Amino acid sequence: MRIGQGWDVHRIIAGRPLILGGVTIPSDFGLDGHSDADILSHAITDALLGAAALGDIGMHFPDTDPQWKGAGSAQFLAFAAWLVRDKGYEIVNVDSTVILQRPKLKDFRIPIREAIAKTMSIEVECVSVKFKTAERVGPVGEGKSAEAQAIVMLEKRVI
Ligand code: C5P
Ligand code: MG
C-alpha cells in the first residue's frame, strides 16, 4: 500500500469560471491561473503522483509551457491516474477537501465526485469530496483565495 497527499491554492479573480473537479460551479468569480486553476483536480493529481513518488504536477505540466495554457486539469488528473497504473498500482480511494468561503458547494458534491471518478476511471464510491469555509479568517476566509487538499491510497497490483 502507498499513500500520497496533495494541496493547492489559487487566487480568486472576477471574470474566470470556478471549476472544481472538472465541474463548473455557478459563481460570480473564478480562480486565476495558467491552467483552468481547478484546485481540486490539482490537489488530487499531486496526491496520486506523491503516492507513487513520481514528482509533482509542475514537473509533468510546467506552468511555463505554452502547451498547458488554459489546459483542462482533467487531463492532468487522467494522466497521473494512468501513470500510477503504468507503475503497477491500483487506485484504492481518494479523499479531499475544498476550502472556499463561498459559494456553498454541497449541492455539487455528487456531480464533482462523479466527474473525478470518471476522469480517474474508478468507482464513485472511491471518491470523497468535502467542503469547508475558512470561518471568514485569513486569505481564504476573506475571499482572496481557495484551497484544496487531497489524500490518495494506492495498492500494488499483484501479478
Ligand atoms: O466551514 P464550515 O464547517 O462552516 O462548513 C460547514 C458545512 O458547510 C460543510 O460541512 C459543508 O457541507 C458546507 N460547505 C459548503 N460549501 C462551502 C463551505 C462549506 O457546502 N464553500
Ligand atoms: Mg493549481
Side-chain angles (χ1 to χ4, degrees):
M1 306 291 276
R2 306 272 300 209
I3 196 163
Q5 66 86 224
W7 171 86
D8 198 19
V9 60
H10 279 260
R11 269 175 203 276
I12 282 175
I13 188 175
R16 293 245 311 177
L18 178 62
I19 302 171
L20 295 171
V23 175
T24 302
I25 309 294
S27 170
D28 53 358
F29 58 79
L31 296 173
D32 197 13
H34 185 257
S35 69
D36 64 1
D38 180 345
I39 44 172
L40 181 55
S41 294
H42 293 180
I44 299 172
T45 300
D46 260 355
L48 277 170
L49 295 172
L54 289 169
D56 61 27
I57 193 168
M59 187 183 118
H60 295 278
F61 308 100
D63 64 5
T64 48
D65 187 339
Q67 188 184 345
W68 306 121
K69 188 167 164 53
S73 298
Q75 65 182 289
F76 303 161
L77 182 55
F79 175 76
W82 175 85
L83 205 59
V84 299
R85 288 194 177 97
D86 189 55
K87 290 282 173 189
Y89 296 104
E90 293 301 333
I91 301 162
V92 178
N93 75 305
V94 180
D95 186 21
S96 63
T97 305
V98 176
I99 309 124
L100 180 68
Q101 191 58 39
R102 68 174 187 92
K104 281 283 177 224
L105 297 167
K106 56 184 167 45
D107 293 344
F108 299 93
R109 197 187 316 270
I110 290 170
I112 292 172
R113 289 176 63 206
E114 285 174 345
I116 292 166
K118 191 172 174 212
T119 300
M120 297 177 70
S121 301
I122 59 177
E123 297 297 321
V124 70
E125 290 72 23
C126 303
V127 179
S128 158
V129 180
K130 311 186 302 299
F131 309 113
K132 293 297 284 181
T133 69
E135 297 291 344
R136 299 195 303 276
V137 174
V140 176
E142 290 166 7
K144 294 178 183 158
S145 59
E147 297 185 11
Q149 303 176 355
I151 191 161
V152 164
M153 180 76 81
L154 304 181
E155 187 172 21
K156 194 85 181 180
R157 203 177 297 123
V158 184
I159 30 159

